[in-house]
């Protein structure tokens, strides 16, 4: 059993490794086994099930898929769902669109977030706390309502159009809602704090003397930025970009509320495949492929976070 | 002032305006008398009144609060244990899998987490008969699972930043390991646990996608209700609801900030 | 009691890394013993094995006749003062100090009395209810000391006890530590990287490198007669010359060095073979400088030129270039009428030292 093995004491440099009495050993085992078991059942097992169902045929029944083993005990699996995903152009285009939209949103977040993080890191320590708080605050306000706020702004008769028409700048309302533009606004708006925070963390740790030293040695401001600031900020840039890109890839609410019917993203396809078409095996296959696309960035992010934790310890 | 810092300052101003103007407008329009949400029809508080009469909203809010409190508490419990294990138990078998499972739920797209959990519940029901009905318990389990990851990370990094010799000193002075956890470790990570609980609570209140997957008919959380309304467009009572939430959260966060600032100063 | 603490063949491995390698040591009751070495030499691991935070991979540790090798930290008659002092930040001074007695389940009145005694011992009576963040570095150090002493341990372990203090405070605290140790008669084992600290504090020192003891002895033995190159280099400054043994006499060894271009005589009863390559070491302050050639033919005499000099107030440092090109360091007290007061750059000078000042190093 994984759990028992995990709780067994080993030659280790951890503090609690040197437990000598059974009550403490019991506590150690419990503290490890409880969250471990929980995650095995409610996090790892579900993935096995997704994989299993993605290899089944859809049927009209409850639940709507064929069992992996039929009544006679024969293994019955099919790669039809994956084959369908690969051959139907619609899915390939949707995956590609999702990657591009997420990447574009990431770049936009970076170009707005970097100067912001830089600016915050360079203000007085007293105001820094307040500015950071204002970055974090929207996190705590319902995500859904923040996206909703933009609906009122970007409507054909929303605040922006009303204002522009009142100012006489336009005659006809500009179509903003239900376009890719609106989706980008929503994505940047929602994920900007994810970009600013890790960037701020690295920029704040950076020694300002380094930039001055570079300028002292003859580098122009721009040169000093590209030679010193940018390379040193790279860990934060990478973390921020991954933190925006990964969730943006699977985003459902923003494209649903702000995007048009033609701006299909993969999160929405999965949702619709599941709830509207009730094709659970196909939805599972969509999820598996999405997961495969995200494996590299997720592993990258975890490696970054692990090394960041080591260096700050 | 150099051109560069002027650029930085204007970007900062733009960024903060971008973050806060939409929220301000929602607050403003919540006092709009007109039932066409985007046209100003004079000042009124009637949408707040309607909000309080709407049983659907109140039921959904109650369910959301119940789920948030329960799942935040469970997540803090499990997450603290997981954070302790990661920061203090040294090497153990299965550690890589464990830390992978801790950090993955945070980066997993919600649609995948939601789908996978629903499929688990359906499968469990097939074989064990539980859960007979999806609702409070299944949403709570789902929220606990992804929230505990956040708690674990917060607790773990607090522990890693803490001088390990504090616990060693307590042990050296005769405290047995379990005693030391209660005498030293827990009091010192209490702020991290509180932060973790608050974050879990917020995440739970905020979640739409995962709850949509794992809830059954008849159990609608507040975000699910809001979503079903705003799908159809801007609506004035949602403005009122949003305003209430914005005010509550801002007050809470501002208070927490002031308290923290005061206690940071000796 | 010479073997109050007995360490027998103790090793500690972390994976492939050997932190402590087959260490043997006896420490007597009431000693103030220092383990001295650079970072990563294994001294802290050894201390942590005495405290019970690490279990030796092999070997045995006895304290006062009891095998404690596998005993948990909370069961050992040993307490420790941590390098960071590890004062519990959420408890006031009195509660910090009382913690150890509370875990023994002692009556409250008795605990309070003992806490007051300890506060008096470390002169912190007025700080009883202070929180740790309201204390200075020196006060924190004394709280840590009182907290570790209140259980009257058989052995007190001190991990870099003075490293966190500034120089002035360090000197004063050193003597306070020695007085308290004297008063209580508790065996102290100190781990430090600071040779000066070890020299002033300790009755004996073990110099450690790469997990092994290089030499164990009194501060004087270690300074005057280092066993090997590492010890000689680690403690103070020393000049070394490569030399060949030319003749073995009863109580002295005659050598010839290419680096000085002269014969060198060393006192000693060690056994060498004629023709063996060794290193001879001489401390800078054992070298006499004179303008005229000294006449004592027992001494080693070498001619050189002043290459560099530095005035340090009470003494001066010289770097002398020999005719062979070798640079030798010498230092002299700045007394009145000392000839070296008049030495200038590039001036020719004679160096000489006594046979008993030359030490032959083993490896």
């Amino acid at each position: 059993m994984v759990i028992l093995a995990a709780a067994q004491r080993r030659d280790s440099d951890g503090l609690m490794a040197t437990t000598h009495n059974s009550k403490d050993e019991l506590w150690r085992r419990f503290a490890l086994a409880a969250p471990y078991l929980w995650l095995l059942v409610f996090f790892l097992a579900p993935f096995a099930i997704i994989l299993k169902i993605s290899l089944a045929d859809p049927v009209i029944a409850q639940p709507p898929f064929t069992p992996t083993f039929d009544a006679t005990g024969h293994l019955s699996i099919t790669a039809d769902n994956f084959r369908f995903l690969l051959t139907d152009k619609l899915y390939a285009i949707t995956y590609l669109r999702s990657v591009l939209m997420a990447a574009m949103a990431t770049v936009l977040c970076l170009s707005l977030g970097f100067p912001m993080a830089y600016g915050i890191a360079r203000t007085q320590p007293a105001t820094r706390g307040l500015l950071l708080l204002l970055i974090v605050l929207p996190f705590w306000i319902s995500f859904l309502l923040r996206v909703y706020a933009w609906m009122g702004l970007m409507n054909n008769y929303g605040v922006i159009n009303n204002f522009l028409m009142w100012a006489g700048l336009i005659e006809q309302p500009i179509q903003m809602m239900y376009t890719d533009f609106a989706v980008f606004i929503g994505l940047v708006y929602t994920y900007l704090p994810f970009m600013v925070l890790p960037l701020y963390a690295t920029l704040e740790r950076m020694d300002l003397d380094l930039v001055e030293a570079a300028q002292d040695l003859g580098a122009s401001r721009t040169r000093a930025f590209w030679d010193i600031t940018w390379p040193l900020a790279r860990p934060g840039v990478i973390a921020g970009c991954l933190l925006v890109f990964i969730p943006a890839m699977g985003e459902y609410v923003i494209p649903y509320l702000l995007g048009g019917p033609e701006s299909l993203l993969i999160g929405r396809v999965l949702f619709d495949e599941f709830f509207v078409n009730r094709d659970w095996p196909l939805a599972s296959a969509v999820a598996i492929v999405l997961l495969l696309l995200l494996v590299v960035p997720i592993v990258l992010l975890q490696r970054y976070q692990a090394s960041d934790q080591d260096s700050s310890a | 002032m150099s051109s560069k810092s002027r650029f930085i300052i204007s970007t900062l101003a733009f960024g903060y305006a971008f973050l806060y103007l939409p929220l301000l407008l929602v607050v403003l329009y919540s006092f709009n008398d007109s039932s066409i949400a985007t046209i100003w029809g004079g000042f009124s508080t009637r949408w707040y009144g309607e909000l309080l009469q709407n049983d659907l909203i109140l039921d959904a809010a109650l369910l959301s609060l119940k789920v948030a409190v329960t799942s935040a508490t469970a997540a803090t419990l499990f997450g603290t244990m997981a954070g302790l294990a990661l920061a203090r138990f040294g090497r153990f078998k299965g550690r890589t899998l464990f830390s992978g499972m801790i950090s993955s739920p945070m980066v997993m797209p919600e649609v995948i987490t939601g789908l996978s959990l629903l499929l688990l519940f359906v499968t469990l029901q097939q074989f064990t008969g539980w859960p007979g009905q999806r609702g409070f318990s299944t949403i709570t389990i789902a929220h606990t699972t992804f929230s505990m990851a956040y708690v674990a990370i917060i607790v773990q990094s607090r522990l890693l930043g803490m001088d390990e010799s504090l616990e060693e000193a307590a042990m050296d002075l005769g405290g047995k390991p379990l005693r030391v956890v209660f005498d030293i470790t827990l009091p010192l990570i209490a702020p991290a646990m509180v932060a973790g609980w608050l974050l879990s609570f917020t995440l739970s209140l905020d979640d739409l996608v995962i709850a949509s997957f794992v809830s059954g008919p008849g159990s609608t959380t507040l975000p699910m209700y809001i979503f079903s309304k705003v799908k159809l467009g801007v609506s004035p009572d949602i403005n009122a609801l949003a305003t209430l939430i914005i005010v509550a959260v801002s007050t809470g966060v501002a208070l927490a900030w002031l308290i923290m600032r005061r206690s940071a100063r000796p | 009691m010479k073997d109050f603490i007995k360490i027998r063949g103790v090793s500690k491995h972390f994976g492939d890394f050997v932190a402590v390698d087959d260490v043997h040591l006896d420490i007597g009751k009431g000693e103030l013993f220092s383990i001295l070495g650079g970072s990563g030499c294994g001294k802290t691991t050894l201390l942590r094995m005495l405290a019970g935070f690490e279990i030796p991979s092999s070997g045995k540790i006895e304290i006062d006749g009891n095998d404690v090798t596998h005993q948990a930290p909370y069961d050992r008659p040993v307490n420790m003062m941590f390098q960071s002092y590890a004062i519990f930040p959420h408890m006031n001074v009195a509660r910090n100090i009382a913690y150890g007695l509370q875990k023994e389940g002692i009556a409250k009145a008795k605990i309070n009395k003992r806490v007051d005694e300890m506060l008096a011992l470390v002169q912190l009576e007025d700080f009883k209810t202070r929180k740790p963040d309201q204390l200075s570095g020196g006060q924190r150090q004394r709280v840590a000391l009182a907290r570790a002493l209140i259980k009257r341990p058989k052995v007190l372990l001190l991990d870099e006890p003075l490293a966190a203090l500034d120089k002035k405070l360090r000197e004063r605290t050193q003597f306070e530590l020695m007085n308290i140790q004297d008063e209580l008669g508790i065996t102290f084992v100190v781990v430090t990287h600071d040779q000066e600290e070890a020299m002033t504090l300790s009755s004996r020192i073990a110099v450690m490198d790469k997990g092994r003891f290089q030499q164990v002895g009194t501060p004087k033995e270690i300074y005057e007669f280092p066993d090997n190159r590492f010890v000689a280099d680690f403690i103070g400054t020393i000049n070394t010359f490569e030399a060949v043994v030319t003749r073995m006499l009863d109580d002295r060894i005659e050598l010839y060095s290419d680096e000085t271009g002269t014969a060198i005589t060393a006192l000693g009863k060690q056994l060498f073979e004629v023709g063996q390559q060794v290193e001879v070491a001489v401390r800078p302050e054992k070298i006499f400088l004179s303008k005229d050639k000294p006449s004592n033919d027992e001494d080693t005499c070498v001619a050189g030129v002043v290459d560099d000099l530095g005035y340090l107030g009470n003494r001066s440092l010289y770097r002398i270039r020999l005719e062979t090109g070798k640079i030798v360091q010498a230092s002299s007290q700045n007394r009145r009428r000392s000839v070296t007061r008049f030495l200038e750059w590039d001036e020719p000078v004679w160096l000489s030292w006594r046979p008993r000042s030359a030490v032959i190093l083993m490896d």
Side-chain angles (χ1 to χ4, degrees):
Chain A
M1 254 317 268
V2 184
I3 303 305
L4 291 181
Q8 256 163 27
R9 197 169 4 123
R10 289 187 57 199
D11 181 28
S12 133
D13 44 6
L15 168 66
M16 305 277 180
T18 49
T19 48
H20 298 254
N21 92 13
S22 60
K23 207 172 81 189
D24 295 311
E25 186 59 41
L26 211 65
W27 143 249
R28 248 176 74 83
R29 280 185 195 214
F30 175 71
L32 183 57
Y36 213 128
L37 264 178
W38 182 280
L39 285 170
L40 281 180
V41 174
F42 294 115
F43 184 72
L44 203 61
F47 283 101
I49 295 171
I50 283 206
L51 188 62
K52 185 196 116 164
I53 292 175
S54 73
L55 298 171
D57 277 323
V59 290
I60 299 172
Q62 185 62 284
F65 54 87
T66 57
T68 308
F69 296 96
D70 61 24
T72 55
H74 281 102
L75 187 67
S76 86
I77 58 171
T78 167
D80 282 356
N81 301 306
F82 291 100
R83 209 170 294 135
F84 181 65
L85 281 187
L86 291 177
T87 46
D88 191 328
K89 254 211 213 122
L90 172 78
Y91 290 96
I93 290 170
T94 313
Y95 277 116
L96 194 66
R97 267 184 62 92
S98 296
V99 173
L100 288 177
M101 296 277 287
M104 187 66 197
T106 308
V107 172
L108 287 172
C109 275
L110 181 62
S111 26
L112 180 58
F114 196 99
M116 284 183 80
Y118 189 89
I120 297 172
R122 293 290 165 264
T123 51
Q124 300 291 321
T127 37
R128 226 182 271 171
L130 185 65
L131 289 177
L132 268 186
L133 184 77
L134 287 174
I135 294 284
V136 184
L137 186 62
F139 261 142
W140 299 82
I141 297 165
S142 165
F143 154 72
L144 186 57
L145 290 175
R146 281 183 291 137
V147 175
Y148 162 76
W150 280 97
M151 294 173 71
L153 276 170
M154 294 192 293
N155 246 333
N156 277 1
Y157 298 96
V159 178
I160 296 177
N161 274 320
N162 281 352
F163 175 77
L164 291 175
M165 287 196 286
W166 171 82
L169 291 170
I170 51 173
E171 303 264 302
Q172 291 293 310
I174 306 170
Q175 176 71 38
M176 283 182 285
M177 274 298 280
Y178 313 119
T179 63
D180 282 354
F181 171 77
V183 177
F184 282 132
I185 290 281
L187 287 173
V188 173
Y189 183 67
T190 310
Y191 293 113
L192 186 63
F194 289 84
M195 181 63 84
V196 175
L197 289 179
L199 276 175
Y200 167 79
T202 46
L203 286 173
E204 192 251 0
R205 254 182 294 178
M206 205 182 81
D207 188 356
L208 252 189
D209 288 351
L210 293 174
V211 179
E212 281 173 9
Q215 285 174 12
D216 183 54
L217 294 169
S220 67
R221 273 168 169 277
T222 335
R223 253 296 27 103
F225 176 83
W226 289 113
D227 286 352
I228 311 289
T229 313
W230 181 254
L232 286 175
R234 239 191 28 207
V237 173
I238 293 171
C241 287
L242 292 171
L243 281 173
V244 174
F245 181 81
I246 296 169
M249 266 294 279
E251 188 49 59
Y252 164 72
V253 175
I254 296 169
Y256 190 100
L257 289 181
L258 304 179
E262 81 286 357
S263 79
L264 270 183
L265 291 185
I266 203 63
R268 193 171 162 189
V269 167
L270 192 159
F271 208 89
D272 289 348
E273 214 58 78
F274 190 86
F275 284 107
V276 182
N277 301 343
R278 283 189 68 74
D279 190 338
W280 291 20
L282 189 61
S284 300
V286 170
I288 295 274
V289 173
L290 174 58
L291 203 55
L292 286 178
L293 281 176
L294 287 176
V295 158
V296 173
I298 286 176
V299 168
L300 265 178
L301 180 64
Q302 287 188 342
R303 187 166 305 164
Y304 164 81
Q305 279 169 337
S307 71
D308 190 54
Q309 201 131 66
D310 286 347
S311 67
S312 65
Chain B
M1 193 178 280
S2 65
S3 64
K4 188 170 177 188
S5 44
R6 221 174 301 147
F7 166 69
I8 297 280
I9 286 170
S10 40
T11 322
L12 270 179
F14 175 76
Y16 282 108
F18 178 64
L19 285 177
Y20 284 95
L21 267 182
L23 297 179
L24 274 179
L25 284 165
V26 167
V27 173
L28 189 66
Y29 273 90
S30 73
F31 297 105
N32 181 5
D33 194 41
S34 158
S35 56
I36 302 164
T38 55
I39 291 165
W40 185 255
F43 181 86
S44 147
T45 53
R46 72 176 179 139
W47 302 113
Y48 291 89
E50 279 187 26
L51 206 59
L52 294 175
Q53 318 257 299
N54 187 334
D55 282 343
L56 283 175
I57 287 196
L58 293 180
D59 284 350
L62 194 64
L63 177 65
S64 273
L65 281 174
K66 266 172 30 188
V67 169
V69 168
T70 321
S71 70
T73 308
T76 306
L77 218 70
F78 286 123
T80 303
M81 287 194 268
L84 266 173
L86 284 173
R88 288 292 189 262
F89 288 4
R91 283 166 282 159
F92 51 82
K93 257 189 198 153
R95 192 194 157 96
T96 318
L97 176 66
F98 188 54
S99 63
M101 287 196 301
I102 286 290
S103 48
S104 297
M106 292 190 294
V107 289
M108 201 55 67
E110 291 167 323
V111 280
I112 297 185
T113 310
L115 176 66
S116 68
L117 274 165
L118 171 60
L119 295 179
L120 172 82
F121 291 135
V122 170
T123 313
L124 274 178
Q125 193 190 14
Q126 257 181 298
F127 289 102
T128 67
W130 180 90
Q133 208 166 23
R134 290 193 293 278
F136 172 75
S137 56
T138 50
I139 304 171
T140 305
I141 287 174
H143 287 182
T144 304
T145 306
F146 73 77
S147 295
M148 71 182 270
Y150 287 88
V151 179
I153 298 293
I154 295 175
V155 166
Q156 187 195 6
S157 65
R158 166 91 187 178
L159 280 170
L160 289 178
M162 191 175 114
D163 184 3
E164 204 169 325
S165 41
L166 288 171
E167 288 147 298
E168 287 179 342
M171 237 152 100
D172 184 63
L173 293 165
K176 306 217 161 94
L178 188 55
R179 197 66 247 154
V180 172
V181 168
F182 285 98
D183 282 353
I184 310 294
T185 318
L186 287 182
L188 291 182
I189 59 173
M193 289 166 67
V194 172
W197 191 92
L198 284 174
L199 185 61
S200 305
F201 180 81
T202 317
L203 287 170
S204 171
L205 275 188
D206 212 13
D207 169 63
L208 163 71
V209 175
I210 296 175
S212 305
F213 273 100
V214 299
S215 71
S219 50
T220 307
T221 63
L222 191 59
M224 285 164 74
Y225 177 80
I226 297 172
F227 188 60
S228 68
K229 287 276 291 200
V230 301
K231 260 188 211 174
L232 310 171
V234 180
S235 98
D237 52 345
I238 297 298
N239 284 341
L241 181 62
T243 304
L244 288 181
I245 291 178
I246 291 168
V247 169
V249 169
S250 309
T251 326
V253 171
L255 273 178
W257 187 65
L258 284 174
I259 290 169
M260 257 162 51
R261 223 171 57 149
R262 184 158 304 170
S263 68
R265 235 180 279 145
Chain C
M1 202 169 162
K2 282 293 284 176
D3 52 358
F4 190 65
I5 303 175
K6 262 163 64 175
I7 300 174
R8 288 287 174 272
V10 164
S11 299
K12 177 70 186 179
H13 305 248
F14 295 107
D16 288 339
F17 177 70
V18 184
V20 173
D21 190 6
D22 192 28
V23 160
H24 294 258
L25 181 67
D26 285 332
I27 298 174
K29 186 164 185 171
E31 258 198 276
L32 207 168
F33 191 93
S34 292
I35 302 169
L36 174 64
S39 65
C41 73
K43 57 185 195 302
T44 301
T45 308
L46 187 58
L47 196 76
R48 289 172 61 82
M49 287 194 281
L50 283 169
F53 297 125
E54 309 285 355
I55 297 169
S57 309
S58 61
K60 198 168 129 182
I61 299 173
E62 277 182 26
I63 293 173
D64 199 13
N66 299 314
D67 185 345
V68 298
T69 318
H70 295 280
Q71 210 170 33
Y74 42 85
D75 290 331
R76 292 188 187 206
V78 169
N79 286 125
M80 178 151 161
M81 200 176 103
F82 289 81
Q83 181 173 5
S84 63
Y85 303 143
I87 312 284
F88 306 136
H90 56 306
M91 302 182 188
N92 65 21
V93 169
R95 281 191 63 208
N96 260 285
I97 297 176
Y99 187 82
L101 291 184
Q102 276 170 6
K103 295 307 111 176
E104 280 183 358
I106 290 175
K108 225 175 185 168
K110 209 171 161 194
I111 293 181
N112 288 340
K113 199 171 144 264
R114 289 271 289 280
V115 169
D116 287 340
E117 281 170 26
M118 293 317 296
L119 284 168
L121 181 74
V122 297
Q123 297 158 22
L124 283 176
E125 293 98 327
D126 301 337
F127 295 87
K128 205 172 165 178
T129 54
R130 287 272 185 104
K131 276 295 190 81
D133 55 8
Q134 300 166 309
L135 298 178
S136 72
Q139 289 164 342
R140 294 165 72 89
Q141 190 259 3
R142 284 186 276 162
V143 173
L145 186 64
R147 191 179 67 179
L149 284 172
I150 198 166
K151 292 181 77 178
R152 297 182 185 142
K154 289 182 175 169
V155 179
L156 180 71
L157 307 172
L158 300 100
D159 189 0
E160 306 273 4
L162 308 173
L165 307 178
D166 61 47
K167 197 169 184 319
K168 271 262 162 60
L169 195 56
R170 199 151 58 208
E171 279 161 15
R172 217 184 64 203
T173 314
Q174 238 167 38
F175 292 105
E176 275 177 13
L177 265 185
M178 289 165 78
N179 288 339
I180 287 175
Q181 197 261 343
D182 210 38
E183 205 173 307
L184 303 177
I186 291 174
T187 310
F188 276 30
V189 179
V190 177
V191 149
T192 178
H193 69 278
D194 183 332
Q195 38 143 328
E196 234 171 86
E197 190 176 310
M199 301 288 268
T200 28
L201 276 177
S202 336
S203 52
R204 283 195 303 148
I205 297 175
V207 181
M208 203 171 175
D209 183 46
K210 297 193 182 112
R212 289 171 168 273
F213 285 159
Q214 302 297 320
Q215 188 172 358
V216 181
T218 62
K220 191 173 157 110
E221 281 167 356
I222 286 186
Y223 188 78
E224 302 272 340
F225 307 108
D227 271 353
N228 56 38
R229 178 88 199 232
F230 177 81
V231 176
D233 273 343
F234 193 79
I235 314 254
T237 332
I238 202 157
N239 298 294
T240 55
F241 308 102
E242 283 174 14
V244 189
V245 178
T246 52
R247 200 145 71 107
M248 295 289 298
L249 295 168
D250 269 358
D251 59 345
R252 65 189 56 206
I253 301 146
E254 288 183 359
L255 312 106
Y256 180 81
S257 170
D258 279 337
E259 286 192 299
T260 57
T262 62
I264 300 175
T265 309
L267 285 189
K269 293 187 194 299
Q270 299 139 295
L271 283 181
F272 293 101
E273 284 165 30
V274 171
Q276 191 175 339
Q277 277 281 349
V278 293
E279 270 188 310
V280 181
V282 186
R283 296 271 178 206
E285 71 274 14
K286 305 279 181 183
I287 295 177
F288 299 100
L289 299 175
S290 53
K291 288 190 175 174
D292 306 313
K293 185 172 181 188
S295 53
N296 192 340
D297 56 325
E298 257 204 331
D299 295 354
T300 306
C301 291
V302 201
V305 191
V306 177
D307 190 60
D308 202 355
L309 57 87
Y311 176 73
L312 297 179
N314 58 347
R315 64 203 176 99
S316 295
L317 283 182
Y318 300 90
R319 287 161 58 86
I320 313 286
R321 185 189 300 279
L322 304 186
E323 279 156 10
T324 55
K326 169 92 175 173
I327 300 280
V328 177
Q329 293 197 50
S331 70
S332 74
Q333 298 292 320
N334 288 334
R335 283 169 303 219
R336 281 185 79 190
R337 264 186 288 166
S338 161
V339 61
T340 54
R341 278 183 36 133
F342 310 109
L343 281 178
E344 286 299 335
W345 273 274
D346 296 328
E347 203 168 328
V349 67
W350 283 92
L351 298 83
S352 63
W353 62 83
R354 293 267 145 97
R356 64 156 192 266
S357 301
V359 181
I360 300 179
L361 303 176
M362 301 304 233
D363 36 58

